[in-house]
Amino acid sequence: DQQVKQNSPSLSVQEGRISILNCDYTNSMFDYFLWYKKYPAEGPTFLISISSIKDKNEDGRFTVFLNKSAKHLSLHIVPSQPGDSAVYFCAATSGGSNYKLTFGKGTLLTVNP
Amino acid sequence: EAGVVQSPRYKIIEKKQPVAFWCNPISGHNTLYWYLQNLGQGPELLIRYENEEAVDDSQLPKDRFSAERLKGVDSTLKIQPAELGDSAVYLCASSLSPQGGDTQYFGPGTRLTVL
């Protein structure tokens, strides 16, 4: 039973446009959500996070939105750049601790010049 | 600041052979994690250490997998004997502590191929 779902295996956008990556979760105990970015042959790197007490968190070109009632979060990248091409993982945790991350399967984002 | 170091980066072995992976976390990070990442999947936690203590090893297949972090710094993950299904990327991560949303920093991983 997958508790964190990224239903789009891949996404392709044009440079300068908005990229929207989606994530759904089933466990209502999750209270902290993170996005990680992964380049080939590298480990995942932390990108942005959001607590369940918020519905939006912004960091430069990256914004994460959380809809608790729908158990849905999304990552917006504006404007998208070719260097953003990577696999993006959504992750969630509960109990106020960051240690037990449950990851989705990831979405491969390709930003075309 | 140096990141999480893992070695080897790639390992090819035959089934039933033993294999070991090594991880050196970021200096000062007390918490160390080992993850397994199968192809097309997200990372899954195998074991978490707080200093020398394995505080969560509930997902570690203890019949063939073992791990240690003897001095609370470096860690080794071992598989003996390896099976075909163990082919995956093994990721090590570290954080200052698991509390307060401390970020986990990942190493590049070891890609294991079992023939």
Side-chain angles (χ1 to χ4, degrees):
Chain A
D1 177 33
Q2 201 165 15
Q3 300 184 67
V4 177
K5 301 177 183 178
Q6 293 178 257
N7 293 319
S8 297
S10 63
L11 174 67
S12 182
V13 300
Q14 285 299 119
E15 181 178 4
R17 299 291 188 109
I18 183 171
S19 295
I20 300 176
L21 296 100
N22 294 304
C23 178
D24 298 295
Y25 62 96
T26 58
N27 188 340
S28 58
M29 299 301 293
F30 287 146
D31 57 10
Y32 193 71
F33 304 89
L34 309 91
W35 285 93
Y36 276 79
K37 180 168 78 170
K38 184 182 183 303
Y39 293 119
E42 295 183 11
T45 56
F46 170 73
L47 189 58
I48 193 169
S49 63
I50 187 167
S51 166
S52 61
I53 63 173
K54 296 185 176 181
D55 54 19
K56 177 183 174 181
N57 188 26
E58 194 171 351
D59 183 2
R61 296 186 297 114
F62 303 91
T63 303
V64 56
F65 296 92
L66 175 63
N67 183 332
K68 284 175 56 181
S69 61
K71 294 191 175 67
H72 176 83
L73 64 155
S74 60
L75 174 68
H76 292 211
I77 306 175
V78 183
S80 300
Q81 300 173 354
D84 296 329
S85 297
V87 176
Y88 289 78
F89 290 100
C90 173
T93 187
S94 62
S97 168
N98 192 23
Y99 83 85
K100 194 150 190 172
L101 297 178
T102 301
F103 284 86
K105 291 185 177 183
T107 296
L108 173 63
L109 173 66
T110 303
V111 180
N112 301 301
Chain B
E1 178 183 277
V4 176
V5 179
Q6 291 188 247
S7 70
R9 293 293 311 275
Y10 304 91
K11 188 74 176 178
I12 301 174
I13 61 172
E14 294 191 347
K15 63 181 180 181
K16 301 185 181 180
Q17 294 299 306
V19 64
F21 315 122
W22 176 80
C23 173
N24 181 244
I26 292 173
S27 178
H29 281 195
N30 299 320
T31 308
L32 184 146
Y33 314 76
W34 282 102
Y35 285 86
L36 164 69
Q37 185 177 14
N38 287 305
L39 186 65
Q41 305 291 319
E44 299 173 38
L45 181 68
L46 287 173
I47 189 170
R48 173 175 71 98
Y49 281 93
E50 288 297 327
N51 299 304
E52 302 90 354
E53 183 182 1
V55 295
D56 183 357
D57 63 356
S58 58
Q59 302 303 311
L60 189 72
K62 298 180 185 63
D63 56 338
R64 298 184 300 106
F65 286 66
S66 65
E68 60 183 15
R69 193 184 185 199
L70 293 177
K71 296 184 179 179
V73 180
D74 296 1
S75 177
T76 302
L77 178 69
K78 299 178 182 178
I79 308 175
Q80 183 171 8
E83 297 179 351
L84 295 176
D86 296 331
S87 295
V89 175
Y90 293 82
L91 293 162
C92 179
S94 70
S95 66
L96 278 172
S97 80
Q99 309 304 323
D102 275 349
T103 300
Q104 293 187 29
Y105 295 87
F106 284 82
T110 297
R111 180 176 295 278
L112 173 67
T113 302
V114 182
L115 303 176

